[in-house]
Amino acid sequence: MSQELLELAVLERKKYNDLNEVLDLTRQLGEALDRNDQVSARMLVAMRQDPILRLEETDRTAKDRRAALPAGVRQRLEALLAGAQPQGSEEQTFLEQAGKARSLLERVVELDRRISLRMAGEDSFYKK
């Protein structure tokens, strides 16, 4: 189980890195909007696409790997994600990476929501 968890921890770290890039670009987008710089805003929206696509691919890979785990290992992983105490450094490492990625995702979504509402108003994805 330890090798599988370490591989999943690496994928969680990749998610974190991509989310960090999305967060940075989203912040820059907000700053461009503050300056009313439409050219930069359009460019930043386009630039966000690459890390978002990488993030989707990494997430898909992680889901596929979790689905391929033996039932017992998959159940233990689900228990860890639901709050079970880690047993061993591999489980601890995985939980730390998953927690960091989840926390950063929440920050990205909140900032993205604010910017989307600001840019699109009632037509925002978040209003639907």
Side-chain angles (χ1 to χ4, degrees), residues 100-116:
K100 287 177 183 179
R102 186 174 44 252
S103 175
L104 190 55
L105 175 61
E106 291 169 3
R107 290 176 47 205
V108 167
V109 168
E110 178 56 29
L111 182 58
D112 185 70
R113 185 187 67 75
R114 288 195 321 254
I115 289 175
S116 177

Side-chain angles (χ1 to χ4, degrees), residues 81-105:
L81 292 171
Q85 290 298 313
Q87 299 172 347
S89 62
E90 294 89 1
E91 289 185 0
Q92 182 66 37
T93 298
F94 170 76
L95 277 181
E96 287 173 4
Q97 292 301 319
K100 287 177 183 179
R102 186 174 44 252
S103 175
L104 190 55
L105 175 61

Side-chain angles (χ1 to χ4, degrees), residues 17-122:
N17 290 339
D18 289 334
L19 284 165
N20 209 21
E21 186 174 348
V22 171
L23 181 63
D24 181 52
L25 291 168
T26 305
R27 282 186 186 138
Q28 291 179 48
L29 175 59
E31 292 167 3
L33 293 173
D34 289 344
R35 295 187 311 270
N36 203 22
D37 183 349
Q38 296 302 314
V39 172
S40 292
R42 280 193 295 272
M43 181 182 70
L44 288 160
V45 167
M47 288 173 62
R48 282 182 2 143
Q49 189 65 27
D50 285 340
I52 288 171
L53 290 174
R54 284 194 313 266
L55 179 62
E56 288 174 350
E57 180 63 30
T58 301
D59 193 49
R60 191 175 317 114
T61 299
K63 286 178 182 175
D64 290 347
R65 291 228 178 120
R66 283 195 300 260
L69 291 172
V73 175
R74 193 171 50 250
Q75 288 171 344
R76 176 63 185 154
L77 182 64
E78 290 168 5
L80 284 170
L81 292 171
Q85 290 298 313
Q87 299 172 347
S89 62
E90 294 89 1
E91 289 185 0
Q92 182 66 37
T93 298
F94 170 76
L95 277 181
E96 287 173 4
Q97 292 301 319
K100 287 177 183 179
R102 186 174 44 252
S103 175
L104 190 55
L105 175 61
E106 291 169 3
R107 290 176 47 205
V108 167
V109 168
E110 178 56 29
L111 182 58
D112 185 70
R113 185 187 67 75
R114 288 195 321 254
I115 289 175
S116 177
L117 290 170
R118 184 172 158 194
M119 290 176 69
E122 291 297 318

